[in-house]
């Protein structure tokens, strides 16, 4: 339905009944030019008077040799291009094209590092807008305010590779990292958690409810990485065979890794809800939140909501340190130094295994290291997994943990666990 006052202005009615005001014109004038149409607005959302005013403005633009429809499409493309060049939009693309396409095993770690800090800080901004001073402030915030200098160094490396890739792909003219000073280099850690500290940590964890208490105790018993335990799924464990098969998708080196489980570890796993049992259907939604100690049916071994893996280990560590100090004071012994990390448990286990007479290449295999004591040409031809030796090492470590937790100096049966009968 065309307007009698403004040429090209009308109301378009679709078969569905949807009505919208439009303006139709020929850019440049003359019948040789193809018709263009601009949608002004929907009938009911915009009045006839307002639509007519906008149509008059469009007619004036066309009279001055402008092309409103073309300009509108250009704005949409520019907006889409700007959204695609944001930090949040480019980080996943960078991880995919720069890391995963090359088979880099640290792709997930790099993407996780960038999302945690860079995306959270500048997610909606274009990479071309990020200034060196902003990056310096972020790195300083991570290193000093958060107290994570090692993470600041890793973030610097991830950002350097990310912005270099962005410049290469044409998303920015150059990397702002050239004007950013690198944080102090990461120092190799040598902290070994003593037997006395492990005993204090175990008892402190035993006072924690599911999922964090058992999660910490499995870190002690297995020497696994924190995320390997936190994101573990029930189907990975075979309690009859006393093994845990970490799939390649969750392994740092992208290879499946078999861990043998000591009797103490199996006993602990049996105390966890629904482990080894068929999963129950998820309960119907309820108005009241279920108790924190009653996890929902899930494939995850440790979860607070039934759908995501546990997190927040910095708070768990703080609570453990407080409880360990309190217990030490109660026992009249020196409190543990507050300089440990969960990763130090891996070093502590391997240090004990070496002292107990196990070969270093066996300890490397226990930890899941690809390159270790066996390197060079020998590593190319030597493919023995040393499974019997690894099993013996894990059984010995489990027995050692049981001994120090119970206060025994020698061997014996596993100590009593929450929800389980005491061993005799």
């Amino acid at each position: 339905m065309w307007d009698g006052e403004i040429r090209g202005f009308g109301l378009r009615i679709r078969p569905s009944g949807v009505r919208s005001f439009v303006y139709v014109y020929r850019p440049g004038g003359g019948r040789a030019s193809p018709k263009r149409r601009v949608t002004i607005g929907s009938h009911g959302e915009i009045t006839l008077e307002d639509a007519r005013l906008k149509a008059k403005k469009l007619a004036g633009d066309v009279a001055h040799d402008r092309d409103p429809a073309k300009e509108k499409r250009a704005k949409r493309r520019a907006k889409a291009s700007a959204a695609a060049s944001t930090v949040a939009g480019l980080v996943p693309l960078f991880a995919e094209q720069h890391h995963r396409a090359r088979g880099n095993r640290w792709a997930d770690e790099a993407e996780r590092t960038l999302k945690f800090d860079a995306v959270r800080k500048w997610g909606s901004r274009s990479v071309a807008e990020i200034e060196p001073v902003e990056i310096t402030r972020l790195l300083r915030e991570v290193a000093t305010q958060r107290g994570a200098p090692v993470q600041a160094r890793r973030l610097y490396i991830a950002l350097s590779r990310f912005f270099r890739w962005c410049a290469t792909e044409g998303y920015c003219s150059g990397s702002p990292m050239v004007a950013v000073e690198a944080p102090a280099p990461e120092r190799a850690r040598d902290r070994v958690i003593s037997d006395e500290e492990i005993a204090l940590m175990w008892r402190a964890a035993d006072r924690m409810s599911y999922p964090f208490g058992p999660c910490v105790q499995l870190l002690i018993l297995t020497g696994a990485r924190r995320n390997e335990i936190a994101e573990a799924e029930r189907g990975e464990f075979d309690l009859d065979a006393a093994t845990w098969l970490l799939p390649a998708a969750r392994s740092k080196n992208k290879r499946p890794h078999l861990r043998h489980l000591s009797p103490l570890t199996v006993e602990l796993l049996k105390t966890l809800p629904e482990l080894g049992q068929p999963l129950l259907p998820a309960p119907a939604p309820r108005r009241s939140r279920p108790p924190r100690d009653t996890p929902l049916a899930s494939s995850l071994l440790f979860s607070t909501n039934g759908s995501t893996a546990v997190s927040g280990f910095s708070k768990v560590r703080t609570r453990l340190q407080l409880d360990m100090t309190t217990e030490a004071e109660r026992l009249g012994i020196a409190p543990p130094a507050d300089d440990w990390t969960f990763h130090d448990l891996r070093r502590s286990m391997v240090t004990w295994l070496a002292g107990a007479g196990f070969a270093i290449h066996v300890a490397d295999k226990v930890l899941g290291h690809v390159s270790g004591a066996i390197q060079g040409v020998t590593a190319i031809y030597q493919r023995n997994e040393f499974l019997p030796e690894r099993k013996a090492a894990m059984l010995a470590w489990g027995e050692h943990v049981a001994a120090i937790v119970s206060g025994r100096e020698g061997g014996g049966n596993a100590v009593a666990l929450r929800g389980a009968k005491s061993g005799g």
Side-chain angles (χ1 to χ4, degrees):
M1 297 175 61
W2 299 107
D3 184 48
E5 178 181 340
I6 302 174
R7 183 181 178 84
F9 172 56
L11 180 67
R12 187 185 189 194
I13 306 175
R14 296 179 180 273
S16 61
V18 176
R19 305 181 180 191
S20 56
F21 294 108
V22 296
Y23 176 70
V24 180
Y25 65 98
R26 294 181 186 273
R31 294 186 175 276
S33 301
K35 284 185 177 181
R36 301 276 176 82
R37 181 174 64 242
V38 176
T39 300
I40 298 175
S42 299
H43 180 268
E45 295 180 0
I46 184 173
T47 65
L48 174 60
E49 291 75 13
D50 290 339
R52 184 174 281 121
L53 288 174
K54 291 186 177 183
K56 287 181 179 180
K57 183 180 183 304
L58 291 171
D61 292 339
V62 172
H64 287 84
D65 295 326
R66 292 178 59 183
D67 191 340
K70 185 177 180 180
E71 292 175 3
K72 190 174 182 179
R73 286 196 299 271
K75 286 182 179 179
R76 281 200 301 264
R77 284 195 297 269
K79 187 176 181 180
S81 177
S85 64
T86 61
V87 175
L90 289 177
V91 162
L93 190 62
F94 160 72
E96 190 65 36
Q97 294 185 0
H98 181 75
H99 284 302
R100 294 191 181 94
R102 300 181 179 186
N104 292 346
R105 59 185 176 88
W106 51 83
D108 293 343
E109 183 178 348
E111 184 175 6
R112 183 166 53 247
T113 297
L114 290 171
K115 283 184 175 180
F116 188 81
D117 283 305
V119 172
R120 187 165 58 173
K121 193 81 171 180
W122 311 308
S124 61
R125 294 176 56 189
S126 169
V127 292
E129 300 175 2
I130 310 302
E131 299 290 338
V133 65
E134 297 179 88
I135 300 173
T136 300
R137 288 171 182 167
L138 176 59
L139 293 173
R140 187 181 299 123
E141 175 186 325
V142 174
T144 58
Q145 296 181 20
R146 194 189 302 169
V150 172
Q151 184 61 25
R153 178 74 180 182
R154 293 173 182 172
L155 177 60
Y156 172 84
I157 295 173
L159 286 172
S160 297
R161 292 171 177 166
F162 171 65
F163 280 111
R164 184 168 62 246
W165 175 84
C166 288
T168 302
E169 295 293 326
Y171 294 106
C172 57
S173 58
S175 172
M177 299 300 294
V178 296
V180 178
E181 184 177 354
E186 182 177 338
R187 291 188 306 160
R189 289 186 58 84
D190 56 4
R191 176 72 153 92
V192 175
I193 302 178
S194 67
D195 287 353
E196 192 174 71
E197 290 173 321
I198 289 177
L200 291 172
M201 187 184 301
W202 180 281
R203 291 169 186 147
D206 207 40
R207 288 189 287 271
M208 289 184 176
S209 60
Y210 173 92
F212 296 108
C215 188
V216 171
Q217 290 174 333
L218 276 184
L219 285 172
I220 295 173
L221 286 167
T222 62
R225 296 179 177 87
R226 191 183 68 187
N227 285 344
E228 291 174 353
I229 293 288
E231 299 171 4
E233 298 192 1
R234 302 172 190 277
E236 298 170 2
F237 294 84
D238 185 343
L239 299 189
D240 293 332
T243 56
W244 171 22
L245 181 58
L246 182 71
R250 292 207 311 109
S251 173
K252 186 176 181 179
N253 56 37
K254 299 305 178 187
R255 298 182 182 182
H257 179 60
L258 181 70
R259 277 191 177 90
H260 296 89
L261 306 176
S262 68
L264 179 57
T265 308
V266 173
E267 191 72 13
L268 173 62
L269 288 169
K270 287 181 178 179
T271 67
L272 301 184
E274 297 298 329
L275 183 65
Q277 302 297 324
L279 295 182
L280 300 175
R286 299 187 301 175
R287 291 185 179 180
S288 59
R289 179 178 296 179
R292 193 177 184 84
D293 290 346
T294 308
L296 303 180
S298 170
S299 63
L300 293 168
L301 191 64
F302 297 111
S303 177
T304 58
N305 56 18
S307 59
T308 58
V310 292
S311 59
F313 280 91
S314 60
K315 294 181 180 178
V316 174
R317 184 202 170 283
T318 300
R319 179 179 168 186
L320 280 173
Q321 178 65 26
L322 180 62
D323 287 353
M324 290 163 65
T325 302
T326 302
E327 178 68 7
E329 293 174 351
R330 188 185 70 81
L331 297 174
I333 60 178
D338 189 11
D339 62 346
W340 59 272
T341 68
F342 287 113
H343 198 79
D344 293 334
L345 289 168
R346 287 166 59 81
R347 185 181 307 105
S348 304
M349 183 184 75
V350 170
T351 300
W352 183 87
L353 290 176
F358 290 93
I360 187 63
H361 61 269
V362 174
D364 276 333
K365 290 292 186 180
V366 167
L367 292 182
H369 289 166
V370 175
S371 60
I374 301 177
Q375 297 184 1
V377 176
T378 305
I380 296 176
Y381 293 97
Q382 201 299 111
R383 294 305 185 198
N384 193 327
E385 292 296 323
F386 304 103
L387 289 177
E389 293 86 350
R390 286 160 55 181
K391 181 178 181 179
M394 293 306 296
L395 290 176
W397 172 249
E399 181 59 28
H400 175 67
V401 172
I404 62 177
V405 168
S406 64
R408 292 180 282 112
E409 295 183 358
N413 295 325
V415 297
L417 293 170
R418 182 195 308 113
K421 295 181 179 179
S422 301

